[in-house]
Amino acid sequence: MPRGRYSLHDPHDHTLLAEEHFHCAPGPSGWRYVSQLTAPSGDHAGSVDLALDELGRPIRLELHAAGWQVRGAALDGVTWVRTDPTGAHATEGNVRAHAFTGTSPAFLVATARLLRLTPSSSATRVRLVAFTDPVLAPRTVDQSWALIAREAHATDNAPLLVDEYQVTALDTGEQHTVHISGDVVLAAPGIELEHLESPPSVFP
């Protein structure tokens, strides 16, 4: 069960936004990721709880940030309920999309699991509902993912397989690179892996 800490930065000016303390593990029904976020001030800044089924679809998502809460799942596309900090107002949403995304590294692993790309496969288009900070506002985004390299890196234990993805935002054409090993993001824009207590899980 990988356990560690990411630092989350503004991808443009590299300002530290939060630290995300996480643990995750594959299980009999898929994969689960749980994390707590801490602001640079040391205050609690939110949490992420994401569970995927064996096909990589989100069977449960719960996000907390700035008093806002989102609960969602794959249902008729993706469906969610967003609750305001007072708890008095809840709005439902539904989009014909494949999955969710957001600032947490969990969503990059989840999208990679969903697409199951190989280095020989062509770029694949995916529609995602992004929950944007700080109020978890939903926004539908279209991306293209391509697995451009898979390399084995020697370690003290077994070789570490690292996948390099090229992700393109289809509305702007902006491209960036994401490096993932198993269920851990090694590097991505705005994301740095600061500490890892155990090796990434190997998916079957």
Side-chain angles (χ1 to χ4, degrees):
M1 178 189 291
R3 182 184 298 270
R5 184 179 81 253
Y6 294 109
S7 60
L8 307 182
H9 303 262
D10 185 305
H12 303 291
D13 64 12
H14 305 294
T15 303
L16 179 64
L17 302 175
E19 290 199 329
E20 186 161 340
H21 298 258
F22 73 95
H23 60 273
C24 56
S29 61
W31 181 71
R32 187 172 179 206
Y33 177 101
V34 177
S35 70
Q36 299 289 328
L37 287 101
T38 306
S41 64
D43 295 335
H44 178 70
S47 63
V48 178
D49 188 343
L50 174 64
L52 308 179
D53 67 10
E54 58 188 4
L55 298 176
R57 297 172 300 196
I59 52 176
R60 191 183 71 256
L61 170 68
E62 187 169 324
L63 297 177
H64 293 267
W68 293 83
Q69 174 184 291
V70 166
R71 293 174 183 263
L75 186 69
D76 296 327
V78 292
T79 299
W80 68 92
V81 176
R82 176 172 172 261
T83 309
D84 74 319
T86 67
H89 303 286
T91 54
E92 290 188 23
N94 172 261
V95 171
R96 288 283 177 188
H98 300 95
F100 300 109
T101 190
T103 53
S104 173
F107 294 113
L108 296 175
V109 176
T111 304
R113 287 298 296 154
L114 180 71
L115 298 179
R116 310 273 175 119
L117 299 176
T118 63
S120 60
S121 55
S122 57
T124 299
R125 180 175 177 147
V126 62
R127 173 162 287 182
L128 304 167
V129 172
F131 293 106
T132 55
D133 292 334
V135 295
L136 302 179
R139 184 170 62 94
T140 304
V141 298
D142 290 303
Q143 296 178 343
S144 168
W145 279 60
L147 178 56
I148 57 176
R150 175 172 284 163
E151 295 183 351
H153 296 260
T155 68
D156 294 341
N157 303 315
L160 191 68
L161 274 180
V162 178
D163 289 340
E164 179 182 344
Y165 295 92
Q166 185 175 74
V167 180
T168 305
L170 294 179
D171 56 347
T172 63
E174 184 179 0
Q175 293 186 329
H176 60 267
T177 304
V178 174
H179 291 86
I180 297 176
S181 178
D183 55 358
V184 173
V185 176
L186 303 180
I191 297 170
E192 290 187 25
L193 179 63
E194 301 286 356
H195 176 69
L196 186 63
E197 290 184 11
S198 52
S201 303
V202 177
F203 288 109

